[in-house]
């Protein structure tokens, strides 16, 4: 069987070029006589891998010099605790709840201090982004937290909230490197890489230096202190070495493609094909308010559970994998990250058009 079109929300599709390159280097990385998987993270060859990866990421995102780049483990979910442990000096933070992951981060922060939900879109199954232009942010809040792109619900903050001068912390797991970003607007911008950048097992944190201090909450484990990782160049313990190596290859692939402005254009083009079809379809429809639609994750339904199941089954047989929606939304979801080729979306739409013609009750 050949390669399928993989619409998984994560772990997700990776650029074929990157996979082929990694395959070619699997047994012998550039004359070292060993795989990157077998290599000491203290070796010169590995040091070059991680240093180049950081340099390329800084270049892609135009990361200012007063921000540290950390390659960590524990996924985005471990950051739900790490952020309050390191940043909650006043034991208070504001959370904007736009989906399951923001809600989990909010609940976790409540263990360490007062987490204040200043806005939420739970009333309409997280199908929109609330107005964040004038939020009731507490005076003594340490930071304002958002999940910028909501993988499950297919929404995206196209305008950052007015944090009233407070530090903005953003989980960008599912839109990481999909478009240019002004890092200086954030105190912390982080994400798990398994959606848009690399294999599961790495989380990248970009943190403004003044937020990295010795002053963490009492009882914070050594491994959960940003300062420890920053002072040791992400090498305090053995890093997720192979995952970082693949991320580095994806950074180079992105640079070759023209960087993040070119990727945004490409992603907009792909999403438009799918959204235009959904907007004109008599059978399928999207579940998100138009102004808040994500370019990365597109949930849609037919309105019939039976038809949805039939569609997922027939799509799989036709080579379109992982289209079943999250159980909280139902229906289908196509995740069309950077590495999903344009033709994958075009072929999916052609299949949907055919399915509609065959199944629409006249």
């Amino acid at each position: 069987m050949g390669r399928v079109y993989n619409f998984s929300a994560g772990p997700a599709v990776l650029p074929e070029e990157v996979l082929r390159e990694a395959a070619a280097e699997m047994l012998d990385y550039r004359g070292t006589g060993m795989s990157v998987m077998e290599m000491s993270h203290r070796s010169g060859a590995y040091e070059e891998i991680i240093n180049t990866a950081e340099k390329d990421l800084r270049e892609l995102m135009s990361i200012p010099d007063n921000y540290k780049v950390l390659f960590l483990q524990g996924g985005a979910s471990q950051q739900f605790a790490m952020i309050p442990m390191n940043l909650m000096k006043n034991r208070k933070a504001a959370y904007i709840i736009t989906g399951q992951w923001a809600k989990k981060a909010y609940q976790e922060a409540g263990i360490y201090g007062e987490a204040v939900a200043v806005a939420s879109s739970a009333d309409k199954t997280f199908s929109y982004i609330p107005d964040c232009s004038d939020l009731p942010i507490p005076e003594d809040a340490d930071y304002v937290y958002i999940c910028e792109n909501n993988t499950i619900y297919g929404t995206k903050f196209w305008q950052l909230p007015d944090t009233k001068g407070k530090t903005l912390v953003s989980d960008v797991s599912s839109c990481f490197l999909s478009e240019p970003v002004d890092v200086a607007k954030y105190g912390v911008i982080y994400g798990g890489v398994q959606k848009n950048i690399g294999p599961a097992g790495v989380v990248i944190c970009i943190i403004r230096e003044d937020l990295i201090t010795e002053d963490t909450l009492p009882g914070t484990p050594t491994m959960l202190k940003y300062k420890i990782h920053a002072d040791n160049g992400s090498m305090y313990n053995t890093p997720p070495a192979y995952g970082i190596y693949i991320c580095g290859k994806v950074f180079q692939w992105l640079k070759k493609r023209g960087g993040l402005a070119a990727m945004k254009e490409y992603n907009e083009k792909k999403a438009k094909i799918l959204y235009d079809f959904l907007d004109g379809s008599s059978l399928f429809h999207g579940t998100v308010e138009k102004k808040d639609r994500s370019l990365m994750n597109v949930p849609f339904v037919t309105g019939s559970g039976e038809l949805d199941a039939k569609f997922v089954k027939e799509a799989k047989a036709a080579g379109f994998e992982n289209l079943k929606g999250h159980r909280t939304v139902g229906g289908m979801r196509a995740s069309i990250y950077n590495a999903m080729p344009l033709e994958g979306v075009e072929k999916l739409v052609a299949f949907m058009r055919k399915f509609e013609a065959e199944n629409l009750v006249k």
Side-chain angles (χ1 to χ4, degrees):
M1 184 182 180
R3 298 269 295 165
V4 295
Y5 289 112
N6 178 10
F7 292 93
S8 168
V13 60
L14 282 165
E16 202 166 311
E17 193 182 311
V18 166
L19 296 175
R20 288 186 191 284
E21 210 176 286
E25 291 174 347
M26 180 55 85
L27 294 176
D28 177 8
Y29 176 74
R30 302 190 181 174
T32 59
M34 62 182 113
S35 172
V36 175
M37 277 189 200
E38 308 168 292
M39 196 179 274
S40 163
H41 61 295
R42 303 289 178 203
S43 65
Y46 191 74
E47 213 170 301
E48 192 188 341
I49 288 171
I50 194 168
N51 290 343
T52 304
E54 178 176 338
K55 187 175 134 301
D56 287 338
L57 180 62
R58 284 185 174 278
E59 201 176 299
L60 278 167
M61 291 179 77
S62 305
I63 299 173
D65 291 344
N66 64 324
Y67 282 74
K68 291 279 190 203
V69 173
L70 307 178
F71 295 98
L72 306 173
Q73 298 174 69
S77 295
Q78 187 157 288
Q79 294 304 307
F80 299 168
M82 212 163 163
I83 285 157
M85 282 175 167
N86 286 268
L87 304 189
M88 230 191 216
K89 315 296 187 199
N90 298 325
R91 301 279 181 133
K92 192 180 281 189
Y95 279 72
I96 298 168
I97 300 171
T98 51
Q100 189 167 308
W101 301 113
K103 187 179 175 185
K104 285 187 173 178
Y106 160 74
Q107 289 167 336
E108 190 78 7
I111 297 170
Y112 303 101
E114 190 186 342
V116 183
V118 291
S120 169
S121 52
D123 61 330
K124 292 184 183 169
T125 325
F126 303 119
S127 58
Y128 71 103
I129 297 290
D131 177 8
C132 296
S133 58
D134 185 19
L135 298 169
I137 295 164
E139 281 288 302
D140 54 348
D142 292 300
Y143 58 86
V144 177
Y145 182 101
I146 62 170
C147 179
E148 202 158 318
N149 188 89
N150 297 282
T151 322
I152 293 173
Y153 302 97
T155 58
K156 166 83 162 71
F157 278 84
W158 288 110
Q159 198 172 348
L160 293 176
D162 178 355
T163 65
K164 302 190 174 169
K166 304 294 177 198
T167 297
L168 179 63
V169 176
S170 180
D171 171 356
V172 295
S173 294
S174 52
C175 58
F176 221 160
L177 300 185
S178 64
E179 58 179 5
V181 57
D182 182 357
V183 175
K185 288 183 173 168
Y186 304 82
V188 181
I189 182 168
Y190 80 90
V193 303
Q194 72 278 9
K195 298 171 183 298
N196 217 18
I197 303 174
V202 184
V203 59
I204 298 172
C205 283
I206 300 158
I207 310 180
R208 209 173 60 227
E209 282 175 352
D210 61 289
L211 298 170
I212 302 172
T213 66
E214 299 275 10
D215 179 20
T216 56
L217 294 187
T220 298
T222 303
M223 276 297 289
L224 298 189
K225 293 178 178 178
Y226 288 133
K227 191 162 182 3
I228 288 288
H229 296 288
D231 288 351
N232 290 279
S234 301
M235 296 270 215
Y236 174 71
N237 69 326
T238 309
Y242 195 81
I244 294 167
Y245 154 76
I246 299 289
C247 291
K249 288 203 176 297
V250 172
F251 301 156
Q252 288 178 353
W253 177 79
L254 287 167
K255 282 171 71 175
K256 236 189 302 187
R257 298 283 305 255
L260 302 191
M263 276 326 293
K264 184 178 189 196
E265 206 176 298
Y266 188 59
N267 288 326
E268 284 173 339
K269 196 173 168 184
K270 285 188 292 186
K272 187 178 188 314
I273 292 167
L274 186 46
Y275 283 127
D276 282 355
F277 170 73
L278 289 172
D279 289 343
S281 171
S282 309
L283 179 64
F284 297 100
H285 58 272
T287 59
V288 172
E289 282 192 18
K290 284 187 185 181
K291 66 177 176 47
D292 300 323
R293 284 171 164 176
S294 165
L295 297 180
M296 298 284 101
N297 312 100
V298 184
F300 56 97
V301 293
T302 63
S304 150
E306 208 177 302
L307 263 188
D308 288 351
K310 184 182 186 203
F311 174 80
V312 170
K313 190 179 172 195
E314 289 184 10
K316 184 179 169 71
F320 304 102
E321 283 284 347
N322 297 308
L323 281 167
K324 191 174 192 298
H326 192 271
R327 62 186 178 278
T328 56
V329 179
M332 287 69 69
R333 171 181 51 178
S335 293
I336 49 176
Y337 298 125
N338 284 343
M340 171 57 65
L342 186 73
E343 66 172 38
V345 180
E346 288 172 339
K347 286 185 174 170
L348 173 64
V349 165
F351 177 80
M352 289 167 77
R353 194 168 272 127
K354 177 173 169 284
F355 184 89
E356 178 171 334
E358 290 166 3
N359 291 276
L360 199 57
V361 182
K362 299 285 187 290

